[in-house]
Amino acid sequence: MSLPANYLQMRSTVSSEGQLRMELVEKQMPTPTENQVVVRIEATPINPSDLAVMLGLSDSSQATTSGDGSKAVLSAPIAPQIMPALKARYDQALPIGNEGAGVVVAAGSGEYAQSLLGKTVAAMGGGMYAQYQVVDAMNCLPLLEGNTAKEGASSFVNPLTALCMIETMRMDGHTALVHTAAASNLGQMLNRICQADGVDLVNVVRKDEQEKVLRDMGAKYVVNSSKETFMKDLINAIHETGATLAFDATGGGHLASNILSAMEAAAARTPGAYSIYGSVKHKQVYLYGGLDTAPTTLSRGYGMAWGVGGWLLPNFLAKAGMEVAVRLRTRVAKELTTTFASNYTEELSLTDMLDADTVRRYDAKKTGEKFLVCPQMPI
Ligand SMILES: NC(=O)c1ccc[n+]([C@@H]2O[C@H](COP(=O)([O-])OP(=O)(O)OC[C@H]3O[C@@H](n4cnc5c(N)ncnc54)[C@H](OP(=O)(O)O)[C@@H]3O)[C@@H](O)[C@H]2O)c1
């Protein structure tokens, strides 16, 4: 197959003057090295982890678009107090888009790379908001016969994160989980996994409709942080499940602290689980997302056996090793259209991504509203 000499790739730049600029740049078609492949990207999702890099914490309510077609440019101001945190990326046009799927159209001479030629694969590695991308063959997951690129677009970030939460639980000696922003795309996958694997999961949501989404899926424990009975409900659910590990997607405010307080109160109900320094069992909250940008506030009142820390998928996978990664990827490929199915509310071309009104909609990160970029759609 003859490939075009050039292709378009989305770039995001934060200027030292405090402006975000997003635009398409023309790149030369690369020649893959021995263990690389070139993927014609057909579908790539917009996840919260993409938005952070893509929009550079700019104020999307003030975003504007100039020009059109492949010359469209999105601009948005960034608040001065945020700028120091972005210093490492000032004035660099960064490629964006963590994962995607498409057809392998060129491959290096390596055996595995060659075996992927012509196959539809999911891929990770960055720069996926592009018509083509070169990736390491090892970062490709061949989809099973009959599965499409759109079905495989979200094969890595959310499926592997949900699976690795369970792996973390087992490795760290916990037996049940608490999860926040639990009606998210990832949260729904986690519910399906936990139900299939017999793991108790306490879902924390903030709206009645999110409660309904999860209960309709068969979730047993759903607590709503906007209800007056929230703390009581959370303590009861933690007591029943024995959860001592939480993954908090909000990251900010009091939620992590409230979860630790609830774990402590639940432990206090169990004779022997307590010492003069608080409950004995280690309680851990991992802040794995930043949906709430407020500072994280800890009101310590839960003894001394607790921890709050960050958690990132690639770091966990590096620690868990290749065998675990292969086992989890194999499960994702097998259950792609069931456990790990993602629903998209809208499909966007690369230029649609630069439309200011569209940006405001996908930056809202609302429950059930996921956007899929289809780079082969006409510009
Ligand atoms: N650390 C890692 O390695 C890693 C990997 C993958 C994903 N993640 C994180 O996983 C999270 C979920 O991703 P996703 O793709 O599944 O998200 P998603 O489908 O876009 O859903 C986002 C959810 O978050 C809720 N939400 C937004 N702002 C909130 C806030 N301030 N407080 C409480 N809930 C809020 C939304 O509910 P409303 O409708 O109420 O707004 C929605 O249910 C993200 O935070 C992402 O960054 C982390």
Side-chain angles (χ1 to χ4, degrees):
M1 178 193 298
S2 75
L3 295 176
N6 298 306
Y7 67 95
L8 294 171
Q9 185 182 62
M10 191 68 78
R11 293 290 175 113
S12 161
T13 310
V14 166
S15 77
S16 44
E17 281 84 43
Q19 279 289 318
L20 169 84
R21 184 182 167 94
M22 228 168 86
E23 66 200 317
L24 289 164
V25 298
E26 201 164 276
K27 283 198 64 180
Q28 226 181 4
M29 186 63 71
T31 304
T33 59
E34 185 183 0
N35 296 313
Q36 288 182 327
V37 295
V38 175
V39 181
R40 188 182 65 228
I41 307 293
E42 289 172 6
T44 159
I46 301 180
N47 287 321
S49 50
D50 296 308
L51 286 165
V53 182
M54 180 169 146
L55 299 180
L57 305 175
S58 60
D59 179 359
S60 61
S61 72
Q62 293 190 56
T64 54
T65 308
S66 59
D68 53 21
S70 63
K71 300 283 175 244
V73 176
L74 180 94
S75 308
I78 301 172
Q81 64 270 26
I82 292 174
M83 287 301 288
L86 301 173
K87 204 166 178 182
R89 59 170 292 187
Y90 282 178
D91 302 318
Q92 298 167 53
L94 302 179
I96 44 182
N98 286 322
E99 64 180 335
V103 176
V104 174
V105 290
S109 59
E111 198 181 329
Y112 184 57
Q114 278 294 314
S115 77
L116 296 176
L117 203 52
K119 289 202 172 131
T120 302
V121 298
M124 71 179 292
M128 296 292 167
Y129 300 146
Q131 292 168 325
Y132 294 84
Q133 179 61 325
V134 64
V135 283
D136 284 345
M138 288 307 288
N139 285 342
C140 291
L141 175 68
L143 301 185
L144 298 188
E145 200 64 38
N147 287 341
T148 65
K150 283 181 187 174
E151 287 167 338
S154 299
S155 291
F156 284 94
V157 178
N158 284 346
L160 289 182
T161 301
L163 286 169
C164 286
M165 287 177 175
I166 309 281
E167 295 293 317
T168 303
M169 180 193 84
R170 296 201 170 114
M171 275 169 69
D172 292 357
H174 303 274
T175 53
L177 286 174
V178 178
H179 184 229
T180 72
S184 65
N185 173 279
L186 189 154
Q188 295 185 30
M189 289 180 189
L190 186 61
N191 271 276
R192 289 184 215 115
I193 298 168
C194 286
Q195 284 170 33
D197 295 7
V199 173
D200 277 337
L201 172 67
V202 178
N203 294 280
V204 179
V205 297
R206 62 174 177 177
K207 291 178 186 153
D208 291 348
E209 56 268 34
Q210 294 164 348
E211 238 183 295
K212 182 168 167 14
V213 167
L214 295 181
R215 289 206 192 279
D216 286 352
M217 291 179 67
K220 186 169 173 197
Y221 302 99
V222 189
V223 296
N224 188 334
S225 60
S226 60
K227 285 195 174 149
E228 261 177 39
T229 55
F230 171 56
M231 279 310 283
K232 193 172 118 251
D233 298 340
L234 185 60
I235 294 166
N236 285 340
I238 289 175
H239 178 63
E240 271 185 53
T241 58
T244 44
L245 175 65
F247 282 91
D248 177 21
T250 73
H254 297 269
L255 192 51
S257 195
N258 287 341
I259 292 169
L260 287 170
S261 299
M263 287 176 178
E264 187 71 358
R269 289 184 188 173
T270 311
Y274 230 70
S275 83
I276 51 166
Y277 297 114
S279 65
V280 177
K281 178 118 203 301
H282 183 80
K283 298 158 290 299
Q284 179 71 36
V285 180
Y286 286 119
L287 310 180
Y288 83 102
L291 294 167
D292 182 344
T293 51
T296 312
T297 307
L298 300 179
S299 311
R300 290 176 295 113
Y302 16 83
M304 300 303 280
W306 58 273
V308 173
W311 189 98
L312 199 62
L313 175 66
N315 297 18
F316 176 80
L317 283 173
K319 190 167 86 177
M322 204 53 189
E323 210 178 300
V324 173
V326 170
R327 170 166 53 81
L328 301 184
R329 280 179 179 209
T330 306
R331 179 167 179 185
V332 174
K334 276 193 189 145
E335 301 173 28
L336 188 64
T337 57
T338 52
T339 315
F340 303 107
S342 289
N343 293 313
Y344 304 100
T345 35
E346 223 172 299
E347 293 183 5
L348 307 176
S349 69
L350 286 171
T351 36
D352 293 338
M353 282 183 83
L354 296 167
D355 173 69
D357 287 329
T358 307
V359 171
R360 282 184 269 281
R361 282 188 294 117
Y362 63 66
D363 190 31
K365 309 178 199 87
K366 283 190 188 156
T367 307
E369 284 192 20
K370 212 27 141 209
F371 291 71
L372 187 70
V373 180
C374 300
Q376 304 304 322
M377 270 165 76
I379 296 291

